[in-house]
Amino acid sequence: MTNESTREQGRTEQQLRDDLAQKLIEFGAARSPGVVTAFRNVRRHLATPEVDMARTYDAEFAAITKTDEHGVDISSVSAPRVQAMQMEQADLAPGMTVLEIGSGGPNAANLAEVVGENGHVVTVDIDPEVTDRATRFLKATGYQNVTVLTADAEHGAPEHAPFDRIIVTVQAADIPPEWTAQLKDGGRLVVPLRMRGLTRTVALVRDGDRLVSDGVELCGFVPMQGLGENRVRLAVLHDVEGEEVGLRLDGHPEPDTDALAKALITPPNKAWSGVTLGGSESNEHLDMWLTTELDNLPLLAAKPGARQRGLVASASPLGIPTLVDGDSFAYRTVRATDEDDRYELGAIGHGPHGQQLAERLVEEIRTWDRDHRGDRAHIEVYPAGTPDDRLPADGRRIERRHSRVTITWP
């Protein structure tokens, strides 16, 4: 390759990085100078040489690097937008010591850029293939203030603790006590926490033995492996290939799948709330409200073919909150309004009690709109075994092996 070709490639690569940084600023994902500079500097495409270079600098592109024997994604390089969002939630500063749980390479490099030469990043993953890839990437890109560990991150990295920040890049259903113990008091843990099926990346500040939320964002991550693995289970209601419909269960009561499968093919019952959303307005806080208030609310997952056939009105890869009661269910939906780019929230029910369940969902949608539309859920995490009188008196409690998670609203 000639020197001129080399210079041309360098200009193209730098332009891709600059364009990515600008896009992250426009999205509001990257706000601080350190985070913006990190994305301008890190050569993230070297972590996934099998992927087209320009694709790796797409703000929304997550590169899947490994799947299990069932085809489930178990390792990835997260999308730049999500990485930037978590970095901003962490409130990083030069000189900090940071633990990253779930390695990929580029995110550790981003963190190393922000904490600088006087800071240190420890990145840990259970899979040696993943850590080997991360090690090669960090060597190729010259980041020397990063330590790569192959271990079950359930135990953190005690030999490198305490940490100013811990950033988890895999979905977690629980908070192991080691994570809290290895975090400095006042330090921040940023974790994609799954709560009754819904995953949100939560910034938690350590206050003694409890963690208190200071920011909640929508996200999607591959699940935790090892001792902390606790995957959602799918209860199948319709299993025709390409039209599959099921309920994602995360501590929810065992459903009567036969009765619900029969309900699925009955005529729908609809109820509308009069509450509208703009086309670009997220329903993530509404869904968190619904899962806080309603007891049996798993997520309805459906393939696009099920929607095309008319079995369901909505199909979301993340799942749709669905109220279940015995032989009937109702799920959240929307319809267009006369106003441009606005949609009315409602519910569709199936089964003998489908209409009542749809109206119950609509009632909670109206309550959210009236009392909590501008609010965000407040999340606290306490050690398992914490007495009830130390927990917030109202809201939703989620019991895990290591922790008691509470969700409350202003």
Side-chain angles (χ1 to χ4, degrees):
M1 182 179 292
T2 66
N3 288 338
E4 183 177 350
S5 297
T6 302
R7 287 193 298 272
E8 179 60 32
Q9 183 187 47
R11 283 196 296 271
T12 302
E13 180 189 326
Q14 185 61 60
Q15 186 60 54
L16 288 170
R17 298 203 299 270
D18 289 343
D19 290 347
L20 170 60
Q22 183 59 39
K23 184 64 70 175
L24 294 174
I25 293 170
E26 293 171 2
F27 284 165
R31 300 183 299 276
S32 61
V35 172
V36 173
T37 299
F39 283 94
R40 292 194 194 281
N41 290 346
V42 173
R43 305 181 68 193
R44 61 185 300 114
H45 68 283
L46 296 181
T48 51
E50 68 277 11
V51 179
D52 176 71
M53 182 171 71
R55 191 94 189 274
T56 66
Y57 291 99
D58 182 333
E60 299 286 4
F61 176 68
I64 303 302
T65 55
K66 191 172 183 178
T67 57
D68 66 13
E69 67 274 16
H70 306 295
V72 176
D73 300 336
I74 59 173
S75 184
S76 69
V77 175
S78 298
R81 183 185 62 80
V82 174
Q83 291 177 333
M85 181 175 67
Q86 284 199 305
M87 292 170 70
E88 294 289 7
Q89 283 185 300
D91 192 21
L92 301 162
M96 284 185 171
T97 300
V98 181
L99 173 63
E100 179 195 32
I101 293 175
S103 300
N107 197 54
N110 287 335
L111 298 172
E113 281 275 350
V114 178
V115 302
E117 293 181 358
N118 295 324
H120 189 70
V121 176
V122 178
T123 182
V124 59
D125 199 284
I126 196 172
D127 190 335
E129 291 183 24
V130 173
T131 52
D132 285 349
R133 180 190 287 260
T135 299
R136 291 194 301 271
F137 168 79
L138 292 163
K139 182 178 180 180
T141 49
Y143 290 96
Q144 298 180 359
N145 58 339
V146 181
T147 299
V148 181
L149 301 177
T150 304
D152 191 329
E154 176 90 350
H155 306 298
E159 63 275 26
H160 297 277
F163 298 99
D164 298 288
R165 302 289 187 265
I166 298 177
I167 299 179
V168 184
T169 65
V170 290
Q171 180 197 92
D174 200 356
I175 305 295
E178 289 85 353
W179 294 2
T180 303
Q182 293 171 30
L183 185 65
K184 293 179 182 178
D185 204 41
R188 299 171 78 89
L189 166 66
V190 178
V191 56
L193 187 61
R194 195 181 79 230
M195 297 162 286
R196 307 188 77 231
L198 299 180
T199 301
R200 301 289 188 267
T201 179
V202 186
L204 295 161
V205 179
R206 181 179 177 184
D207 178 15
D209 67 351
R210 70 169 183 161
L211 299 163
V212 181
S213 68
D214 183 35
V216 180
E217 301 286 353
L218 184 66
C219 65
F221 284 85
V222 296
M224 181 81 71
Q225 299 181 64
L227 291 175
E229 183 172 320
N230 181 352
R231 296 195 183 186
V232 168
R233 190 172 69 79
L234 185 68
V236 177
L237 306 185
H238 182 77
D239 63 357
V240 175
E241 185 175 359
E243 301 178 357
E244 292 91 339
V245 180
L247 293 171
R248 288 181 175 162
L249 307 176
D250 182 20
H252 300 95
E254 187 67 24
D256 184 342
T257 53
D258 290 339
L260 295 177
K262 293 176 182 177
L264 179 65
I265 58 176
T266 62
N269 300 281
K270 299 180 181 180
W272 299 101
S273 66
V275 178
T276 63
L277 293 174
S280 60
E281 189 176 356
S282 173
N283 53 34
E284 61 183 285
H285 300 304
L286 165 62
D287 289 351
M288 184 63 79
W289 168 256
L290 294 176
T291 204
T292 303
E293 290 299 300
L294 299 170
D295 289 333
N296 193 4
L297 197 81
L299 301 180
L300 183 73
K303 292 287 183 69
R307 181 177 181 179
Q308 293 166 7
R309 184 180 163 185
L311 286 171
V312 295
S314 304
S316 165
L318 297 177
I320 299 169
T322 301
L323 183 59
V324 177
D325 185 4
D327 56 3
S328 305
F329 66 94
Y331 58 92
R332 175 185 52 69
T333 191
V334 296
R335 66 178 177 183
T337 69
D338 292 336
E339 297 181 66
D340 289 342
D341 202 33
R342 290 201 71 82
Y343 299 85
E344 183 182 7
L345 291 160
I348 294 178
H350 290 270
H353 308 293
Q355 184 66 50
Q356 294 97 308
L357 294 181
E359 291 171 357
R360 178 74 180 90
L361 263 180
V362 161
E363 178 185 340
E364 286 301 335
I365 291 171
R366 290 174 180 148
T367 300
W368 166 80
D369 179 59
R370 182 183 66 246
D371 299 335
H372 298 290
R373 185 160 186 152
D375 299 332
R376 296 197 176 203
H378 179 76
I379 297 162
E380 297 187 12
V381 181
Y382 295 79
T386 300
D388 286 352
D389 60 10
R390 281 197 57 204
L391 273 58
D394 55 359
R396 172 67 57 179
R397 295 177 182 177
I398 303 169
E399 307 293 346
R400 301 295 194 189
R401 181 163 65 99
H402 294 306
S403 61
R404 306 188 74 184
V405 180
T406 66
I407 308 172
T408 58
W409 292 77

